[in-house]
Amino acid sequence: MPMLDIFIPENALTPNAETGLLHRLTDLLLVHEGADPRNPVARALAWVFLHRPAAVFVAGSMAVEPHYRVIASVPQGQFDDDRRAAVVKAVTEAILDAEEGSRPRNPARVWVFANEVPDGTWGAVGRIHRLADIAGAVLGDREKGRLYAQQRLAQRGRLT
């Protein structure tokens, strides 16, 4: 159940490039969370919220080039250090690719925050969903979901 908040200044990308980027980011987040982006259940749980900042200031002045902020949120246990680093790199590259060479390729203009939502605090459809619940839905098997969550949370030292 990944969720992505992306802040893209108005007119930073062409409409087609922006649409392609949002699709690509959905796939990237699913892959780096450990899900198959072709899985329709996993895909339906992947939400992207597009935000349009009115202005971005850097060092107290209006930024000349677009600056992007991405907040990728997944249930606790889905990121480890390798997955977190990989998603930051992949998202940064995807955004710079979406600019289609219209500006100097500068990764310093892209900030990515890869966050885990503590297990037992992800609320949707009127109730709390734990990693075991989400994984069980995606895998189509509650017991497999429970075992997956138990393993992921134990690996991260967060098993309760």
Side-chain angles (χ1 to χ4, degrees), residues 78-117:
Q78 291 299 84
F79 283 151
D80 55 26
D81 290 345
D82 291 337
R83 280 184 178 178
R84 186 175 283 110
V87 78
V88 168
K89 180 176 175 48
V91 166
T92 300
E93 293 300 316
I95 291 171
L96 295 175
D97 289 348
E99 289 186 331
E100 300 173 325
S102 64
R103 326 186 142 71
R105 192 173 182 90
N106 182 357
R109 294 186 291 109
V110 181
W111 286 12
V112 180
F113 302 92
N115 298 323
E116 288 185 310
V117 175

Side-chain angles (χ1 to χ4, degrees), residues 12 16 32 47 58 66 69 71 97 101 105:
N16 286 342
H32 291 290
W47 292 17
V58 176
R69 181 172 69 153
I71 304 166
D97 289 348
R105 192 173 182 90

Side-chain angles (χ1 to χ4, degrees), residues 118-133:
D119 199 36
T121 65
W122 196 296
V125 294
R127 70 181 192 86
I128 295 296
H129 294 267
R130 295 186 171 277
L131 179 57
D133 303 323

Side-chain angles (χ1 to χ4, degrees), residues 17-29 37 43 48:
E18 186 172 276
T19 299
L21 173 64
L22 298 176
H23 181 83
R24 183 174 173 191
L25 291 177
T26 299
D27 289 350
L28 287 173
L29 190 56
R43 198 156 191 85
V48 177

